[in-house]
Amino acid sequence: MIEIQKNIPLAPLTTFQIGGPARYFVDVTSEDQIREAISFAHDNGLAFEVLAGGSNVLIPDIGLDKLVIHIVAGHHSFSGRELEAFGGCNLKELMHRATERGLGGWEKLYGIPGTIGGAIRGNAGAFGSEIKDFTHQIKAINRNTGKSRLFTRAECGFMYRHSFFKHDARWLVTTVHVHLDKIRSNQSMLLCAETLSERERRHLQNVQAAGSFFMNPVAPEEVQKKFEVEKNTKSREGRVPAGWLIEKVGMKGARVGGAMASEQHPNYLVNTGVATATDVLELAGRIQEAVYQEFAIELQEEASIL
Ligand SMILES: Cc1cc2nc3c(=O)[nH]c(=O)nc-3n(C[C@H](O)[C@H](O)[C@H](O)COP(=O)(O)OP(=O)(O)OC[C@H]3O[C@@H](n4cnc5c(N)ncnc54)[C@H](O)[C@@H]3O)c2cc1C
């Protein structure tokens, strides 16, 4: 049985810590509860939005005059080398449970905030590893019909920070099946610790942000060359880091109100404490404009603007 609440502040449920309240709000921990929440929205003529770990979203300052379906941790189980998990399960927690059982292989993903469902939607990844590499099949529910279906890995349409579920927002990820490798627990723990220290070295920690705000764009050849020469590294799949482009247009450290393009990692748009969603969007817009003017590259948001 779901419990619909009213006027729930959303900012504390996001890593940005920005945004107004939800007019209606419900926590769901299973596919049946998602279906119930969808029925409630349909029966009451309400639009609805999905929020999970809140680590890749920007909520508007006025909040959402909708039902927010908050997908939180639910059931998970192991069978042999397969993990089946409800989409609202926290990815890091699942990795701990797998490690305890001597299952792993996905340790490079360790430390990515949020849920496994959110990770599937955006094909989350780090250090050359992506959630798609471990995904076997996905169960998703259609928000219009309330009907569920299974998607094979091939049907998930995974690409760089993209999946079928991002492309077609009718489908909400309810259950994720991943295949893991046998590994000694202490070996897996060691690899997780290595990933964490690499993240501490290369990423920003403990900031109010949504991770990388823009996706790394495919760049014209001359821009790729410039990046490769300057950084003495190969660009991957023709992409250059958005953070590098932001730096090149002189917007590292740029501010609008309380929002700032981080000095250490310019693709992190950081809430310095008093930022509004309007500040973040204004800053993002200025960055997009500057990068377009200089490089004729259109930066696309990785974070969801709800
Ligand atoms: C400090 C920091 C570091 C980060 N590092 C990385 C990184 O290394 N690599 C990386 O890829 N990302 C990174 N991110 C971004 C973020 O952690 C991932 O995108 C994460 O997978 C989002 O999951 P979530 O549960 O928080 O989704 P949310 O932020 O709650 O939602 C994001 C979007 O997905 C939708 N959504 C959520 N759950 C579902 C579902 N079950 N079905 C359908 N749609 C859904 C939401 O409606 C929303 O549009 C980082 C973020 C932060 C704050």
Side-chain angles (χ1 to χ4, degrees), residues 37-271:
I38 291 174
S39 293
F40 176 85
H42 287 166
D43 293 348
N44 292 278
L46 292 171
F48 66 89
E49 201 78 66
V50 163
L51 179 67
S55 64
N56 208 23
V57 286
L58 181 64
I59 308 278
D61 297 318
I62 56 161
L64 296 168
D65 186 18
K66 298 178 177 182
L67 171 67
V68 170
I69 301 179
H70 188 213
I71 303 188
V72 292
H75 175 80
H76 78 269
S77 61
F78 290 91
S79 169
R81 289 197 283 153
E82 183 158 309
L83 162 64
E84 176 187 330
F86 177 61
C89 293
N90 178 274
L91 179 60
K92 194 170 172 186
E93 284 298 319
L94 289 174
M95 293 180 80
H96 288 164
R97 301 290 83 82
T99 293
E100 284 164 7
R101 292 180 161 255
L103 293 174
W106 57 351
E107 290 80 3
K108 284 201 165 68
L109 304 180
Y110 189 72
I112 297 179
T115 63
I116 194 160
I120 291 290
R121 176 186 176 272
N123 186 24
F127 310 123
S129 194
E130 294 175 318
I131 192 76
K132 75 164 172 45
D133 304 334
F134 310 95
T135 304
H136 171 49
Q137 64 179 14
I138 297 295
K139 194 170 179 199
I141 187 167
N142 186 301
R143 52 189 291 158
N144 298 335
T145 64
K147 293 211 169 107
S148 295
R149 67 161 272 213
L150 282 173
F151 291 77
T152 62
R153 183 170 178 274
E155 287 172 321
C156 292
F158 290 119
M159 284 186 276
Y160 165 73
R161 298 297 172 269
H162 195 80
S163 75
F164 168 80
F165 308 102
K166 194 167 180 178
H167 167 75
D168 187 341
R170 281 178 306 169
W171 294 93
L172 308 180
V173 176
T174 56
T175 310
V176 179
H177 296 254
V178 290
H179 266 171
L180 299 168
D181 297 330
K182 285 223 172 288
I183 185 169
R184 287 204 314 275
S185 289
N186 55 0
Q187 173 67 8
S188 178
M189 277 158 67
L190 196 70
L191 292 172
C192 288
E194 276 176 21
T195 303
L196 213 53
S197 55
E198 191 63 8
R199 289 184 75 85
E200 276 160 12
R201 206 170 62 76
R202 301 210 343 215
H203 293 241
L204 282 182
Q205 306 296 319
N206 305 319
V207 285
Q208 297 180 359
S212 297
F213 194 84
F214 297 108
M215 290 191 275
N216 294 332
V218 173
E221 227 166 89
E222 68 274 12
V223 181
Q224 288 174 43
K225 288 239 168 61
K226 188 172 176 179
F227 167 75
E228 289 176 356
V229 169
E230 192 179 308
K231 295 290 181 189
N232 194 22
T233 182
K234 278 293 252 179
S235 63
R236 274 196 214 150
E237 296 166 2
R239 294 181 185 276
V240 297
W244 179 76
L245 293 169
I246 297 170
E247 188 179 341
K248 286 286 122 193
V249 297
M251 294 201 72
K252 182 163 105 166
R255 283 175 180 260
V256 173
M260 181 174 97
S262 157
E263 291 278 359
Q264 300 102 301
H265 195 320
N267 194 19
Y268 271 51
L269 303 193
V270 175
N271 172 9

Side-chain angles (χ1 to χ4, degrees), residues 15-36:
T15 51
F16 247 140
Q17 300 277 304
I18 288 176
R23 181 158 163 235
Y24 295 99
F25 180 91
V26 62
D27 281 327
V28 292
T29 60
S30 68
E31 184 184 322
D32 285 346
Q33 290 193 349
I34 294 182
R35 193 170 289 111
E36 227 183 302

